[in-house]
Amino acid sequence: MDVVKNKRPIGVFDSGLGGISVLKECVKLMPNEDFIFFGDSQNAPYGIKTVGQVYQLSKNIVEYFVNQDVKAIVIACNTATSAAAKELRQEYPDLPIVGLEPALKPAVLHKEHSNILVMATKLTLREDKFNHLMQQYEDQANIMKLPATDLVEFVERGEIDTPELKQYLRRILKPYLGKIDSVVLGCTHFPFAAKAIQEIVGENVYVIDGAPGAARELKRLLVKGHLEQDPTSKGTVIFHNSNPDPKEIELSKRLFNL
């Protein structure tokens, strides 16, 4: 084992702070690893930008991580994964890059021939990557799309349980109440509002996100590449943000410790 090589950190990034939901799952599964989280709050939300813009923003962050000598990267953003993951893997073939996708498969397996609502940004829902995923399961479930880009803004402001958030969620979820079996949270910001979503759709509705799956994939790639850090070590987490306002780092730490 190359101790020095394996002690390098893992880079995790998102269009803002939502990816901290993925970071938490990674730290839970791999508490011995060192992580650098980069939130691009200055350019959030990615979900309303063009594919080209999201790709360039993502590439800039990956180059920043490469300069930090990371050993792996997690694109903790469904939108950035859709727009940039394939190209970035081709450009950095020696760097393990984990992406996110809506947890549609677990929702399909949860209940046969069920009604599934996928909440995500507009860009994620219209990209080929999601639509190809959706086509794989469309004969096994009734899958509905719900663009909820404004929910990103609530989380970016740290509003995860406010009356205004619940009012917004009630408005967009109203047409589906009593008609769905599962809700797939297809944006890494959305798990921070999962409690409020569950409250509105009811306890009998299965609410799921892709963060645990991404954490497992990261661990698999580390094991495969013999990149794991000493299991007895205690990992660290460092937060960076494109927005220079110190409040962004404070909010990042608060969301991480929820």
Side-chain angles (χ1 to χ4, degrees):
M1 179 184 288
D2 188 333
V3 176
V4 175
K5 180 181 177 183
N6 290 13
K7 193 162 173 57
R8 292 177 298 157
I10 297 161
V12 181
F13 78 90
D14 180 41
S15 59
L17 306 182
I20 293 171
S21 65
V22 181
L23 174 68
K24 290 171 70 170
E25 292 294 332
C26 292
V27 172
K28 187 189 301 181
L29 189 62
M30 295 159 280
N32 55 309
E33 298 289 349
D34 296 325
F35 292 90
I36 301 173
F37 180 84
F38 187 93
D40 193 13
S41 295
Q42 190 156 316
N43 293 300
Y46 281 8
I48 60 172
K49 299 184 186 302
T50 67
V51 171
Q53 288 172 325
V54 175
Y55 162 75
Q56 191 57 57
L57 290 166
S58 301
K59 183 175 172 64
N60 292 344
I61 297 170
V62 168
E63 289 179 347
Y64 165 78
F65 279 148
V66 168
N67 290 332
Q68 298 294 311
D69 195 26
V70 299
K71 62 183 179 183
I73 290 175
V74 179
I75 306 176
C77 176
N78 296 79
T79 300
T81 298
S82 297
K86 182 179 179 181
E87 290 79 4
L88 291 171
R89 289 186 182 116
Q90 292 171 347
E91 292 168 23
Y92 302 90
D94 298 324
L95 184 63
I97 297 177
V98 176
L100 264 288
E101 67 177 25
L104 199 49
K105 182 178 179 179
V108 170
L109 294 176
H110 180 71
K111 183 180 179 181
E112 290 187 1
H113 306 295
S114 60
N115 295 308
I116 300 172
L117 183 67
V118 181
M119 299 177 66
T121 65
K122 291 179 181 178
L123 193 152
T124 294
L125 293 176
R126 72 170 181 254
E127 273 300 289
D128 289 343
K129 180 178 174 62
F130 173 72
N131 286 290
H132 288 155
L133 178 67
M134 186 172 165
Q135 286 168 12
Q136 293 178 37
Y137 301 106
E138 61 186 5
D139 61 339
Q140 300 176 54
N142 176 33
I143 304 167
M144 298 164 279
K145 302 178 183 179
L146 177 59
T149 304
D150 289 348
L151 184 50
V152 173
E153 295 296 311
F154 280 97
V155 175
E156 285 292 307
R157 295 193 296 268
E159 295 184 43
I160 57 175
D161 197 33
T162 62
E164 291 78 15
L165 169 72
K166 291 180 180 179
Q167 183 180 21
Y168 166 72
L169 289 172
R170 285 194 188 95
R171 178 171 59 80
I172 65 171
L173 289 167
K174 186 177 179 181
Y176 307 97
L177 297 181
K179 303 174 184 176
I180 51 175
D181 301 293
S182 301
V183 175
V184 175
L185 305 180
C187 172
T188 56
H189 284 76
F190 296 0
F192 287 109
K195 182 180 176 182
I197 292 169
Q198 189 79 70
E199 179 184 317
I200 292 166
V201 299
E203 291 300 320
N204 293 329
V205 175
Y206 182 49
V207 178
I208 185 172
D209 70 89
R216 290 192 296 269
E217 176 64 6
L218 172 63
K219 183 166 185 176
R220 186 188 72 79
L221 291 177
L222 293 181
V223 172
K224 180 182 177 182
H226 305 289
L227 293 169
E228 296 171 287
Q229 192 165 183
D230 180 352
T232 63
S233 64
K234 181 174 174 55
T236 60
V237 178
I238 298 173
F239 292 96
H240 294 287
N241 200 287
S242 58
N243 186 335
D245 189 339
K247 290 181 180 178
E248 292 295 335
I249 301 299
E250 293 172 17
L251 180 55
S252 297
K253 292 178 179 178
R254 181 162 74 84
L255 291 172
F256 180 71
N257 290 310
L258 281 176

